[in-house]
Structure formats: C-alpha cells, structure tokens
Amino acid sequence: MAEQRLGIIMHGVTGRMGYNQHLVRSILAIRDQGGIMLKNGDRLVVDPIIVGRDRDKIEALAKKHNIARWGTDLDAALANPEDAIFFDAGTTLMRAGLLERALAAGKHVYCEKPTSDDLEIAVNLAKTARASGLKHGVVQDKLFLPGLMKIKMLRDSGFFGKILSVRGEFGYWVFEGDWQKAQRPSWNYRKNDGGGIILDMLCHWRYVMDNLFGEVQAVSCLGATHIPQRVDEKGNTFDCDTDDAAYATFELEGGIIAQINSSWTTRVRRDDLVTFHVDGTHGSAVAGLHKCWTQHRVNTPKPVWNPDQPQTMNFFNDWEEVPDNWPADNGFKAQWEMFLRHVAEDAPWPYGLEAGAKGVQLAELGLKSWEERRWLDVPKLEF
C-alpha cells in the first residue's frame, strides 16, 4: 500500500460554514482518520494550507488545529505546484474571480454556492472549467443529509408510486441583533454584499428538486423583506435592502408541483429546521435533516371534516419512522471524500460547476418572478 499526498488550498475558512463544515468536520476529520482508501489500495492523505486576509485569525486557526501550513498570500499558494486543489467558502461576490484564478493556475476547484450572483458569470465559469480539463465541483450538501437520503431510497424503491407534490419548509427566527445577538452574519441582509434568501436558498432547492423529484421547469416566487432594520456585529443599526423570506412554487417534470417556503423570520413548530413532505399515489413521507416518517396508502386514516367537534385523531401517530439501517457520515465530509476520489482516481462525480450555474439560474429567475409578479419558465442551460 502506497501513500498519496493531496495538497488543498482552503480559502474562506474563517467564516462559520467554511470553518465548521469544511475545515473541521471535513478536511481535518479526513486527516485525523488517516486519509481515504482508494480502489487500488493506496491511501490518499490530505495536506491543507489555509489562506486568508486576516493574518491573526489564520495563524490562530492553524495553531488551534495543528495545521502546519497557512498564509495570507493567495498568489503564492496558487503558484505552488505541490497543491492540486483550490477550495473557496468566502463571499459570493468574490467567488467566480477566485475560481478563475485557480483554474488559470492549473488547480482543480471545489467551492460553496452560489458560484456567483450573476447567471452569465456562473455559466462562463462552468464553461472555463470544462474547457480546462480540470476537475471541478460545487457543494450540494443537502443531498447527503440522512433524511433526504431516505427520501431517495423511498423513491428508488417505488414507495411513492407516482409523486404528486412536494412541500418544503425551511427557516427559523434570526434575531435582529438588538436585544439578542443574531445567529447569522449581517451581510445576509445587504444586497451589495451578496445577501438575500432567494439567492442563498433557491440554489439549494434547485439541486434538491432536480436530483430527487424532477427537473425544475417553471417558477413563481414572491420575496419579502419582513424586518426592515437589523443590528450588525459592531452594534450599528442598518437598513435591510434584500429579502429575508421567499415563498416559491415550482413546476417539475412529470407534472409534480413543489412549494417551498424559506424564511429567516419564522418561529419553528415542525420536526426540524427544514422539512420536506412528499405525497404520492401509493404513499407519503416527511423528512427532516436526519429523520424520515412514512405513511403508506394501506395505513392512511380516513378523517371526516367536522368543525363543530374538537379533533380526536392524533395524525402524528399514523406515521412510521424509517430506520437508520446504514451509518451516515457528516454530509459535507461525505461529499468532500467523493470529490477527492474524483480528483485522485477519476471516480464518478455529477456535481460540477454546471450544477452551480443551474442554482444561480433559478435564484435569478426567482428574483425576476418577484419583480415582475409572474410565472417564468426555466430554460435548459448550454455549456
């Protein structure tokens, strides 16, 4: 058994998502488990270098997690032929430019989404990556959640029969920052900083719907800025000029109707921070991040509408939980391992920058639908 080293340049890991999910729970977890076993018996060992503009933050992270390599000079990192992959979890507005620089330097690229706030830029980035012959990918983390993996298993088994509709509920109350500290960064609520829940979440819902239920064919979206002012990390009050909630309906191939609400201004009374309710002719399922419950047509109760009497049926009791029959790793780590195998041994990989462009397309159409107050078709993109 031989050991193969794979150098990874990691940018944007001082932010919440980049630090928690990508650095600590993915790359460092892979490092600490001794790498990844490849098909030929070799062991793939990751060697990250973390790069950022704030020297003190980067140095502190490196010391805290025993990361030997760190720096503030991205150009120098990209020039190092010993590092094969560039990863970005920084700001949306900087992402496309950083990825273009990495591709020009001959690096495989992997990144968070959205890949841009502009569809033309996202499409051209995907075209550049395809023409380069380098490996490229975008995070599609929700497909690797145990709850949605169970939905996929149910679909593949024929449990649903013909899928009729999907209802998604995502979100929670994000505190305004005045009397309680906000649990999301303030840039989320400023348009010029790449904020807005439509740009953020419709990119997610695109790959979820395309991969689990059917390709999105049309969208009708209404956005809202429910909280007009918030308080930033320095205690300054600022005006919110972008959407903090989105109410969207989608037409999918096969006649499936999907409705997904996304909100940072809702208080949760459901099974999880995100839930998907799938109805089919033979059965229905409700999934959160980890758990999934089903109700087959032979077990469906027969309620009768009677507004004059209190409801005596407990509808939650009529659902059966899907067991955890297989171990589920962290979803971000699972996708990282998949991408690393793609780079190291050309293993299958369906989540290229084309998928990122599709997410940007749906977000852009969602914003346009809101502005024009009408349904819009979702055309196929050409790469």
Side-chain angles (χ1 to χ4, degrees):
M1 179 182 71
E3 186 174 282
Q4 294 186 27
R5 173 195 171 276
L6 188 58
I8 305 171
I9 305 163
M10 302 193 72
H11 178 264
V13 295
T14 57
R16 177 178 58 91
M17 186 69 72
Y19 172 72
N20 289 320
Q21 296 293 4
H22 293 289
L23 180 62
V24 175
R25 297 171 192 168
S26 294
I27 293 302
L28 296 186
I30 293 170
R31 178 196 69 179
D32 294 344
Q33 75 184 18
I36 303 169
M37 190 70 70
L38 300 177
K39 287 189 301 183
N40 65 0
D42 288 353
R43 183 172 293 277
L44 185 68
V45 177
V46 295
D47 181 14
I49 173 173
I50 56 174
V51 181
R53 290 176 294 180
D54 191 320
R55 180 183 181 88
D56 292 338
K57 285 185 178 180
I58 290 292
E59 184 177 14
L61 281 185
K63 289 180 178 179
K64 180 178 180 180
H65 295 287
N66 194 29
I67 301 171
R69 301 190 302 142
W70 60 274
T72 59
D73 189 340
L74 180 58
D75 287 330
L78 291 174
N80 185 356
E82 298 300 314
D83 293 318
I85 295 175
F86 172 77
F87 168 74
D88 178 59
T91 66
T92 299
L93 300 185
M94 293 177 60
R95 181 158 299 130
L98 291 172
L99 295 177
E100 286 175 350
R101 287 167 61 188
L103 289 167
K107 308 300 183 188
H108 309 294
V109 297
Y110 185 50
C111 69
E112 265 293 347
K113 72 217 137 300
T115 52
S116 174
D117 64 341
D118 182 276
L119 177 59
E120 183 177 358
I121 292 174
V123 170
N124 286 336
L125 178 64
K127 289 179 178 179
T128 298
R130 287 168 67 108
S132 72
L134 295 161
K135 310 292 189 185
H136 52 95
V138 62
V139 176
Q140 315 269 265
D141 54 286
K142 288 179 174 50
L143 294 177
F144 295 82
L145 290 168
L148 291 188
M149 291 171 67
K150 291 170 184 175
I151 288 284
K152 181 180 183 299
M153 179 193 69
L154 293 169
R155 183 205 66 188
D156 292 346
S157 73
F159 168 84
F160 293 111
K162 175 179 170 54
I163 295 178
L164 306 173
S165 63
V166 180
R167 295 193 304 281
E169 289 286 345
F170 164 81
Y172 46 93
W173 188 268
V174 176
F175 284 93
E176 298 92 326
D178 46 6
W179 69 284
Q180 286 204 48
K181 185 178 179 181
Q183 65 270 48
R184 291 189 69 90
S186 60
W187 67 261
N188 282 267
Y189 308 97
R190 294 189 293 266
K191 185 175 182 179
N192 287 339
D193 290 334
I197 202 167
I198 292 176
L199 178 60
D200 186 357
M201 297 312 302
L202 263 65
C203 292
H204 284 284
W205 308 148
R206 178 69 190 267
Y207 69 74
V208 168
M209 290 184 288
D210 279 1
N211 284 278
L212 293 183
F213 309 116
E215 287 201 9
V216 182
Q217 296 183 336
V219 57
S220 172
C221 182
L222 176 65
T225 306
H226 289 307
I227 306 296
Q229 287 190 327
R230 292 181 179 268
V231 177
D232 67 16
E233 292 79 1
K234 296 181 180 180
N236 299 317
T237 300
F238 67 96
D239 292 330
C240 304
D241 62 355
T242 191
D243 43 293
D244 56 18
Y247 310 93
T249 304
F250 308 93
E251 291 181 348
L252 313 184
E253 64 179 331
I256 299 170
I257 304 299
Q259 300 167 285
I260 304 180
N261 295 327
S262 309
S263 177
W264 291 320
T265 59
T266 184
R267 295 176 177 89
V268 179
R269 193 176 190 272
R270 53 184 185 271
D271 295 311
D272 213 329
L273 297 186
V274 64
T275 57
F276 289 92
H277 184 126
V278 185
D279 285 319
T281 55
H282 291 177
S284 298
V286 177
L289 295 171
H290 292 270
K291 295 182 178 296
C292 179
W293 295 266
T294 61
Q295 185 176 105
H296 196 265
R297 61 179 175 175
V298 300
N299 296 322
T300 302
K302 192 176 183 180
V304 177
W305 176 260
N306 185 356
D308 300 322
Q309 296 291 331
Q311 182 57 250
T312 60
M313 299 178 68
N314 185 331
F315 295 106
F316 288 95
N317 290 340
D318 298 315
W319 294 76
E320 184 177 8
E321 186 175 351
V322 178
D324 295 316
N325 285 344
W326 63 88
D329 207 344
N330 175 281
F332 289 86
K333 177 173 176 280
Q335 192 179 354
W336 258 108
E337 291 188 351
M338 189 177 179
F339 182 71
L340 295 177
R341 293 180 188 280
H342 178 56
V343 171
E345 57 186 8
D346 201 29
W349 174 258
Y351 312 118
L353 287 172
E354 302 90 345
K358 289 180 179 180
V360 175
Q361 179 194 38
L362 190 61
E364 195 170 275
L365 288 171
L367 289 166
K368 186 177 180 181
S369 170
W370 175 22
E371 179 184 3
E372 299 181 359
R373 302 182 69 83
R374 67 186 181 95
W375 277 92
L376 293 173
D377 290 332
V378 180
K380 288 191 179 296
L381 293 176
E382 298 294 334
F383 298 101

